[in-house]
Amino acid sequence: MNTILPKIALRNLARQKKRSFLLGGAIAFGIMIVTLINGFAGAFIENVSENFAYLMAGHVFIQGSEKTDSGRRLHVIRDGSLIVEAVEKTALPYSFATKSSEVAAMIIFEGKSIRQNLTGLDIANSTFLKERLVLKQGSWEQSMAPDALILSEKVAGKLNVLPGDRVTASFQTITGQNNVADFTVVAISVDASIIGSVMTYVNLDYLNAFLGMKPGEYMSLGFMLPNLKDASEFSTALYESMKNLGMGLFERSAQDDSGSATPFQALMRNQNKETWEGVKYRVFTIDDVLSQAKQIVLALDSSSLIILLVLFAIVMIGITNTFRMVMYERIREIGTMRAVGVQRREVRSILLALVAMGGLSLIDFGMDSPAFLIMKNGHLSFFLPPARALFNILVISLLTILAAYFPARAAAKMTPADALRTMK
Amino acid sequence: MQRHSPRRSKALLLISLAIGFLIPLAGVAQTPALPGLGMNQAKKILSDLDDLGNFPGKDYSALFTIVSEKPGEKQSVTQVRVFRRDSKKQFTILIMLPEVNKGQGYLREEDNVWFYDPTGRKFSHSSIKENIQNSEAKNADFTSSSLSKDYDIQKISEASIGKFPVWVLDLRAKNNEVPYDRMVLYVRKDRIMILKQEDYSVNGRLMRTTLFPKYVEVEGKLLPSQILIVDEINRGEKSQITMAEQTVEKLPDKVFTKAFLEQVNR
């Protein structure tokens, strides 16, 4: 392997340290901006999906819906045995299934009130909740009490409550009647996320009694899968399996006329227009709920590519000018090399190796630098898909080499005599 | 769907209660004083109250001012102009105060409700059956309920409110789809005028007390001009609704159009 050319390129690079650093810095800055945008966009959707999966206790969900004679829709699953049978028939794996009920409630304590989502779960047996929810005060043992309530530290601060305090929650039953229930604060959790702070956990059976549901009934059944990416396959298989068992199902591919709603919103709106008897089920995934968020990420990704190209159009002009200067500074050296038998191709290679070494090492710096800015367990997090990172490196490498190619070719084309005669 | 600030949602709740529920209840029949009250007579009172709440063949408009108080918070004032045409299930609500929401409005026709935001000059649609997000109010609250249809009279007793002797009608819901499972109405004996109303939760807790201290006469009907709502769950939270410029005069058809909401903002 010819190591002389890279050595010459490296020596030349080291001669003008300041200029090399500034040139590489421009490249690194461009790639850093793009990497940051890509990284935050990637982390945004990852985090939102993860948070929602955690808050909703699953990746795939089934909800039951009944319509009363007056046209009111009741969200309730009265008997989940057929759903369990349908899931078993798919033979697809899932980590765990969670029964839950949820209601928007006003939590009141000594003149202070705050609106929260009360999520009813079997807290005592909910391993996922215990894994994901970090308690700041109180304990899981106390959550065995029927009227236990766990809220986030932000909400606890606003209400000024501590473990042991009794709070009152005002909400509506599944049929729309106003009701009130008292709860005991047993624990205060660390705020896992902005979304997490609106969730307050209570025991399923206790909440259901106040929502007008019978023991064993619930609103939603969530399946947590080993991987979020399996949600689509799982939900499709489950939907077909439920259909084969003759269960009433809402159309999954419902689209809203305006096109602005998420598939989940479209599903819900279409249900408003439908009439049916008995119970009908809806099957949806986290992706259906979060499709609008994904559109934002797509827009961010597209914008970052445009920013990348604009930044590099500017950087390319800088690289071209710099290499013209490099060429003229080294013109007598190039002439001498050509006179002693160095080929045109080799002269061009020296100059391209120069830009490759300087540029690519700083591309790496540009890729790595955002990682230092990201907190691991805070709200700010960073995820850059490897394929996207490779694509960015490829685009920038090509553009950088292209920018240096023309001055390098001009230098290589010079005859030794012309090069030696030239005084710049 | 359009999102609403909690403050405006609260105002909407009060408006909805006022125009859709409380006024019908608080209507006053010019009937003679009753020496005693049997079950049939009590049912007749409920039926009369249902009828008095409607304005068949007529329109209704008024300026509502809602002053809300919450413990530890500044008093908030909301003012809205309300136009109703019950015969066609129409209403238009224009928000006058607070300044930040001025010009916003709601238009209802049958089961459709449109919200107008002058900032974007756009309408957004929702169904009467959908919730008003982020609020205790539902659009369905804007529809009037029927006491005689939805409630049974459980008990009749006598009491006094101030200097007025009243019948106390203890009502229980016939079905589980009405907002309150139990209501207690305090109706003046001499004029069947509601002075006080208590609303109870499904599990029997007093949630809200509503007082009707002032009335005005509009074309032979006495309508409340002031309503005081006291939240019994969150002590210290209360709202006062004042209804001014109440009239049942015919309104132009254009009032119940989208163009009207756009026009008033020009």
Side-chain angles (χ1 to χ4, degrees):
Chain A
M1 188 181 160
N2 186 357
T3 56
I4 295 170
L5 296 182
K7 275 182 184 169
I8 295 172
L10 197 62
R11 187 203 62 197
N12 288 341
L13 201 64
R15 275 184 188 165
Q16 292 285 345
K17 288 190 181 72
K18 198 172 174 184
R19 191 170 60 202
S20 300
F21 181 77
L22 286 173
L23 176 67
I27 299 169
F29 179 74
I31 193 74
M32 187 186 80
I33 295 293
V34 174
T35 306
L36 275 173
I37 296 171
N38 287 159
F40 282 124
F44 171 72
I45 196 65
E46 284 287 313
N47 288 349
V48 169
S49 300
E50 198 178 320
N51 280 335
F52 264 84
Y54 149 58
L55 295 168
M56 294 167 74
H59 293 121
V60 176
F61 306 92
I62 298 167
Q63 290 179 344
S65 201
E66 294 176 1
K67 211 157 197 172
T68 65
D69 294 339
S70 64
R72 184 184 286 274
R73 295 185 313 280
L74 308 184
H75 300 301
V76 60
I77 296 175
R78 301 199 189 274
D79 181 8
S81 57
L82 268 179
I83 302 171
V84 174
E85 192 183 328
V87 174
E88 280 169 2
K89 283 194 173 170
T90 65
L92 289 171
Y94 60 90
S95 304
F96 55 84
T98 308
K99 295 172 185 175
S100 65
S101 293
E102 191 174 298
V103 68
M106 188 65 80
I107 300 181
I108 301 152
F109 180 72
E110 291 182 355
K112 293 191 173 71
S113 62
I114 191 164
R115 184 159 282 275
Q116 287 280 285
N117 282 334
L118 283 187
T119 303
L121 297 168
D122 180 5
I123 297 177
N125 298 311
S126 180
T127 46
F128 96 94
L129 195 65
K130 288 173 184 167
E131 279 169 15
R132 298 301 306 264
L133 212 62
V134 179
L135 298 188
K136 197 178 180 189
Q137 290 181 65
S139 68
W140 288 111
E141 287 73 42
Q142 288 165 312
S143 68
M144 309 283 265
D147 64 344
L149 177 138
I150 301 170
L151 37 69
S152 72
E153 56 183 322
K154 195 182 284 178
V155 176
K158 282 181 183 167
L159 288 174
N160 198 20
V161 293
L162 289 169
D165 283 331
R166 296 275 289 168
V167 298
T168 301
S170 165
F171 47 83
Q172 290 189 333
T173 65
I174 54 167
T175 57
Q177 286 195 295
N178 291 295
N179 210 357
V180 179
D182 290 329
F183 294 90
T184 304
V185 178
V186 296
I188 293 168
S189 66
V190 173
D191 288 328
S193 66
I194 298 164
I195 306 161
S197 64
V198 300
M199 306 295 283
T200 294
Y201 296 97
V202 296
N203 275 309
L204 181 67
D205 290 343
Y206 187 77
L207 178 66
N208 282 352
F210 288 98
L211 288 177
M213 286 193 270
K214 293 176 188 143
E217 294 178 348
Y218 49 93
M219 284 184 178
S220 174
L221 184 60
F223 293 95
M224 190 71 87
L225 308 179
N227 196 327
L228 173 65
K229 290 188 177 78
D230 303 332
S232 178
E233 186 197 349
F234 187 93
S235 60
T236 306
L238 180 56
Y239 187 85
E240 288 304 318
S241 180
M242 289 172 77
K243 205 172 180 178
N244 292 339
L245 286 173
M247 298 169 78
L249 291 160
F250 291 109
E251 188 63 45
R252 282 198 73 209
S253 54
Q255 291 295 321
D256 189 47
D257 297 338
S258 67
S260 59
T262 64
F264 179 69
Q265 285 171 321
L267 178 73
M268 296 299 281
R269 282 185 189 174
N270 280 1
Q271 282 172 217
N272 293 341
K273 298 170 195 162
E274 285 186 42
T275 51
W276 68 92
E277 283 184 0
V279 62
K280 237 177 148 176
Y281 297 93
R282 72 180 73 92
V283 180
F284 60 96
T285 68
I286 280 276
D287 284 347
D288 293 333
V289 179
L290 299 178
S291 70
Q292 273 181 334
K294 290 201 166 177
Q295 281 168 13
I296 295 169
V297 172
L298 200 67
L300 274 172
D301 270 353
S302 308
S303 317
S304 72
L305 184 64
I306 293 166
I307 292 169
L308 175 80
L309 294 174
V310 170
L311 278 172
F312 269 84
I314 298 163
V315 171
M316 272 175 77
I317 295 166
I319 293 171
T320 307
N321 282 338
T322 306
F323 271 79
R324 290 204 85 82
M325 281 162 64
V326 167
M327 186 188 85
Y328 287 123
E329 277 173 3
R330 311 238 184 291
I331 200 154
R332 292 173 75 83
E333 184 185 325
I334 291 166
T336 309
M337 284 197 295
R338 293 279 287 116
V340 297
V342 175
Q343 299 300 305
R344 283 179 176 174
R345 189 172 49 81
E346 288 165 330
V347 170
R348 195 172 59 223
S349 298
I350 289 171
L351 287 166
L352 290 178
L354 181 75
V355 73
M357 277 186 227
L360 291 180
S361 63
L362 285 154
I363 284 173
D364 181 51
F365 174 75
M367 299 290 288
D368 291 344
S369 53
F372 296 111
L373 304 172
I374 310 305
M375 292 178 287
K376 197 150 190 170
N377 295 318
H379 296 304
L380 206 62
S381 62
F382 188 82
F383 171 73
L384 182 64
R388 185 64 206 239
L390 276 173
F391 174 76
N392 287 349
I393 292 172
L394 198 69
V395 168
I396 286 155
S397 304
L398 282 174
L399 290 174
T400 308
I401 297 210
L402 187 70
Y405 177 77
F406 296 102
R409 193 180 62 169
K413 272 185 177 174
M414 276 190 179
T415 58
D418 285 343
L420 288 168
R421 268 202 303 272
T422 306
M423 297 289 288
K424 291 269 178 180
Chain B
M1 187 194 279
Q2 185 67 39
R3 290 198 72 81
H4 306 271
S5 70
R7 179 173 287 188
R8 209 179 81 218
S9 298
K10 186 72 183 173
L12 278 168
L13 168 68
L14 297 169
I15 296 158
S16 66
L17 290 167
I19 68 168
F21 199 58
L22 297 175
I23 286 179
L25 285 181
V28 176
Q30 305 281 355
T31 52
L34 301 166
L37 197 67
M39 189 56 77
N40 287 339
Q41 287 167 304
K43 282 180 182 173
K44 178 78 170 57
I45 291 173
L46 291 189
S47 172
D48 286 348
L49 289 171
D50 284 338
D51 292 340
L52 287 162
N54 298 320
F55 304 99
K58 289 184 178 176
D59 299 331
Y60 170 84
S61 67
L63 182 68
F64 283 54
T65 306
I66 303 138
V67 182
S68 299
E69 282 178 39
K70 270 184 155 187
E73 286 184 23
K74 266 175 69 179
Q75 202 178 59
S76 71
V77 180
T78 304
Q79 198 171 59
V80 296
R81 194 168 282 282
V82 176
F83 306 94
R84 273 174 66 182
R85 180 172 285 171
D86 291 350
S87 57
K88 289 188 176 176
K89 290 187 178 176
Q90 291 173 320
F91 68 63
T92 299
I93 297 173
L94 267 177
I95 298 173
M96 322 293 283
L97 284 175
E99 206 62 40
V100 69
N101 299 120
K102 191 174 181 177
Q104 291 176 345
Y106 289 87
L107 172 68
R108 180 205 167 177
E109 195 168 314
E110 297 288 337
D111 276 353
N112 298 304
V113 177
W114 290 273
F115 168 73
Y116 179 69
D117 188 351
T119 315
R121 295 181 182 177
K122 278 186 179 171
F123 286 89
S124 52
H125 174 264
S126 73
S127 157
I128 195 82
K129 287 169 184 162
E130 286 178 46
N131 286 355
I132 294 178
Q133 286 200 358
N134 211 7
S135 106
E136 298 145 67
K138 284 176 182 295
N139 285 341
D141 287 334
F142 286 80
T143 57
S144 52
S145 71
S146 167
L147 287 172
S148 53
K149 200 177 82 182
D150 293 332
Y151 288 90
D152 278 328
I153 300 167
Q154 197 80 15
K155 195 178 151 194
I156 304 165
S157 56
E158 292 176 79
S160 289
I161 294 204
K163 60 181 180 182
F164 300 106
V166 291
W167 297 117
V168 184
L169 304 181
D170 196 334
L171 311 181
R172 289 295 168 101
K174 285 181 183 174
N175 60 65
N176 60 5
E177 294 185 24
V178 289
Y180 293 98
D181 193 51
R182 182 187 169 208
M183 281 167 58
V184 179
L185 306 181
Y186 295 78
V187 187
R188 254 173 78 167
K189 281 186 176 180
D190 56 345
R191 303 181 73 179
I192 317 177
M193 177 192 278
I194 293 179
L195 297 184
K196 183 177 160 185
Q197 177 185 327
E198 292 169 350
D199 301 319
Y200 290 82
S201 68
V202 176
N203 55 348
R205 291 260 289 269
L206 176 61
M207 294 190 75
R208 191 173 71 171
T209 301
T210 309
L211 303 165
F212 303 89
K214 288 181 186 171
Y215 283 83
V216 289
E217 189 166 338
V218 180
E219 291 203 0
K221 280 184 177 181
L222 278 173
L223 298 174
S225 60
Q226 196 180 58
I227 300 172
L228 185 66
I229 301 173
V230 180
D231 191 327
E232 302 287 359
I233 302 295
N234 193 12
R235 293 288 176 146
E237 190 169 329
K238 57 188 175 185
S239 301
Q240 181 185 287
I241 308 173
T242 309
M243 286 85 94
E245 301 170 31
Q246 294 190 88
T247 169
V248 288
E249 280 174 18
K250 177 92 179 145
L251 293 164
D253 292 344
K254 70 171 185 184
V255 169
F256 303 101
T257 62
K258 288 183 179 178
F260 176 73
L261 282 176
E262 289 173 315
Q263 193 186 338
V264 291
N265 280 291
R266 280 181 196 146

